[in-house]
Amino acid sequence: MRYPSVTINLEKLEKNTATIVNLCKKHNISVSGVTKVFCGIPEITNAMVKGGISFIADSRIENLKKSMCFNLPKILLRLPMLSQADDAVTYSDISLNSEYVTIAALSDAARRMNQTHKIILMIDVGDLREGILPKDCLNLVEKILKLKGVELFGLGTNLNCFGGVIPSFENLSILTDLKNKIKEKFNFEITMLSGGNSGSLHLLESNKIPKEINNLRLGESILRGMESSYGRYLDDTFDDVFIFNAEIIELKEKPSVPAGEIGPDAFGNKPVFTDRGTIKRAIAACGRQDVNISGLRPLDNLIEILGASSDHMILDVTKSKTDYKVGDVVKFSLDYGALLSAFTSEYVLKYYT
Ligand SMILES: *Cc1c(COP(=O)(O)O)cnc(C)c1O
């Protein structure tokens, strides 16, 4: 094995998926498995497919293209760029939308290709990322229903992102309410109500999800075994599907405070140091070009990460019970940001177990 690397336990990932799919099934909710954090790598998507997801969802067309080998409907999560309308229709079956011009462009593209593209209309219920305001819904729906080539398949919302707003019975009920109004006014039945991401799972545990919500788009919770509104681990899931590995290239006893006048570090910040006397310091061969260091946590919890430059990570191993040597490998868990960065870096190798 070479380093730095991420090891991925596909069996644990499949089990996490199955556990969460079953939890959702009890509430009549289908799962869109979100593949963007791991850039849509087919081996990893396959574990989620085996675990029972119903849709494959990603923000990027590039990633959805890698999933063409799976016989499940594809959802484009990020609002399509106007310039992307043709690709959106070619590589996804369903896309999330909030702009009439884009929906009209999808309609044109789909008609040219003799296809029907499904639309999930995004409603902003408070987080202030994508979506129309609820008051604008009926007017827009009226226009969408007149378009050929597109089918208004669902309503959706996204929370926990820009504004950090936590999903609740109240804010998700806005979707139910709009679905009912659309039925009343246009005699049109909305098929899917997609009630958010991994931040919505806490509502299932407390039985507070509106019963009309029938889909969730889940990435982080499946990958890390954690709901993301309160950061709680989910029952019967693994939190160690992904492990980051880095190799020690220097190990020395050195002072904890640098010598000389302190100027900016490699990233323009002026570092501050606490004097802990002489410490045992390890340098691991990885850095900010590989992974978001602040999202790593050493599995040996007596190790402390002191910092990192582009390609060196400095560890305090003084208190560890392990007698580390040059050539040893240190293992870390990864948070969402660390996963995202490690999968995006071409320097980080990926191994499957
Ligand atoms: C990324 C994304 C998700 C998945 O979020 P997780 O927190 O990983 O579950 C769901 N919906 C949209 C629109 C997204 O962009």
Side-chain angles (χ1 to χ4, degrees), residues 182-206:
I182 291 168
K183 171 80 184 163
E184 226 169 85
K185 182 150 186 210
F186 306 107
N187 193 25
F188 183 86
E189 195 72 57
I190 294 283
T191 308
M192 178 185 275
L193 286 191
S194 188
N197 55 40
S198 296
S200 294
L201 280 177
H202 72 99
L203 293 173
L204 272 62
E205 294 178 306
S206 58

Side-chain angles (χ1 to χ4, degrees), residues 6 55 78 92 113 116 130 151 171 185 233 284 339 351:
V6 176
F55 301 86
R78 187 172 62 188
S92 72
M113 295 181 215
T116 305
E130 73 273 49
E151 174 195 333
N171 55 28
K185 182 150 186 210
Y233 288 105
L339 277 175
Y351 294 100

